[in-house]
Amino acid sequence: MSNIKLAWKNLTNKPLNMMLSLVLFALGVGMISMIFLIENQVQEKFDKNLAGISLVIGAKGSPLQMILCNMYHVDDPTGNVKIKDVKPFLSGRNPLIDKAIPLSLGDSYKGFRIVGTTQDYPELYDVKPKEGKVWENNFEANIGADVAKIANLKIGDTFYSTHGFLSDGMNGHEHGQFKVVGIFQKSNSVIDQLILTTTQSIWEVHANHDEPETTETTETTETIDTTKEETDNHDGHDHATDDGHDHDHDHDHDHDHDHSAPQKPLIEEVDQEITSILIKFKESSKKSFQALTMLRGINENTEVMAASPAIELNRLYDNMSLGESFLRNLAMIIVLVSGLSIFISLFSSLRDRKYELALMRVMGATPTKLFFLIILEGLLLAVIGYVIGIILSHLGMSVFAGQMEDKYHYSFTATKFLKEEFYLLGGALFIGFVAAVIPAYQAFRTDISQTLTES
């Protein structure tokens, strides 16, 4: 019988003791592994979506909220700012600024945010359309790869925007019909979860949505409604499918909008509002004194607020690290307790196995063989506990990934394995070895004659 089979039979001789040790060890390893997985993928997402952005300028409020909303699209806007208040940053005359990209938020489709912006925005992430073209006119939209997949949209489809960021389909804009003209390639960036269009489209949607309704008599209203219903359903044509898409239209729904009309430059729309501006400094200006003091100057001397992604993310990491440190320390305590459990299990089993070990010595087993047999039992428990722990951590990660997908449309994966997990195997083997050393030494010192005499 091989040493591994013999060690396994010795362990299974007391299954309850073995199960207790394995459960504790697996929980500790699983917690540490899952912390590594979440920490790695969250940081990867944050770093990927930085895209070289130096400042975010928007309405006064929480700087971290503004960063999370406008860069990662996982929070609500702090408010809107008038273009006249941010005109100096959009003028293109500031020698420090390479790009100033406006964002207008507030609407969505099936939970995916619709962002009014310029064509510079996807260029930040080096993302190009995989199908179709880049939007040019109002109410033309480019969608991210995840939007196309989950919302089942394709080139030429139309959809109506919904007020807010919920996916319940309520508060739809009757005039906010967008047409998909391009689908971006998969980039594993925030672009995958966004719908991009012109800023003017967002303004037009809300201008129509916010128009006061005229007061009419009940009879007139009923006549208009009847006429509208007959018009919308002429020739048996149903304009809106159940999923909110409109396909193969024989005429234009959006007769209220001239999509191809020439647009005034954003900077001239001084009374209009946007949500924020993403500022990217020129490489030569990033470490200049003016660039370093711009944030303070904006916050102290203007009606708007500036926030630095680097500063706010460092604060976020600091806050997150407290919880991570607590969970990591808790997991280490569980692993150490499991190591103690392995030690107690092996040490106590020696009392019942003294006669067995003495017989092995009589049959030719050397003290060294007995020593390594007990060590092997400790290592075997550690390896099995490690494997179970890794399986549990990746199962837990799949649950976490599903929740993040449902709530934020961010994609995480449970199939990614980190080098830290292999380092964790080394730590597990070390704990298994240390837990088995004293029992192994006791087996090594087994006195054959005394043990057989006592039996």
Side-chain angles (χ1 to χ4, degrees), residues 161-164 166-173:
S161 62
T162 300
H163 185 65
L166 300 177
S167 57
D168 55 10
M170 301 298 290
N171 302 320
H173 292 305

Side-chain angles (χ1 to χ4, degrees), residues 23-43:
V23 168
L24 288 173
F25 208 90
L27 284 176
V29 169
M31 285 181 65
I32 295 174
S33 172
M34 191 166 177
I35 291 170
F36 284 147
L37 288 170
I38 294 175
E39 187 179 47
N40 176 271
Q41 294 191 48
V42 168
Q43 179 134 14

Side-chain angles (χ1 to χ4, degrees), residues 21-23 25-27 29-30 380-390 428:
S21 300
L22 287 179
V23 168
F25 208 90
L27 284 176
V29 169
L380 199 56
L381 279 173
V383 169
I384 295 172
Y386 168 83
V387 171
I388 295 174
I390 293 297

Side-chain angles (χ1 to χ4, degrees), residues 276-288:
S276 66
I277 302 175
L278 305 182
I279 300 294
K280 185 176 182 180
F281 289 142
K282 294 178 180 177
E283 287 296 328
S284 58
S285 306
K286 286 185 177 180
K287 295 184 180 180
S288 67

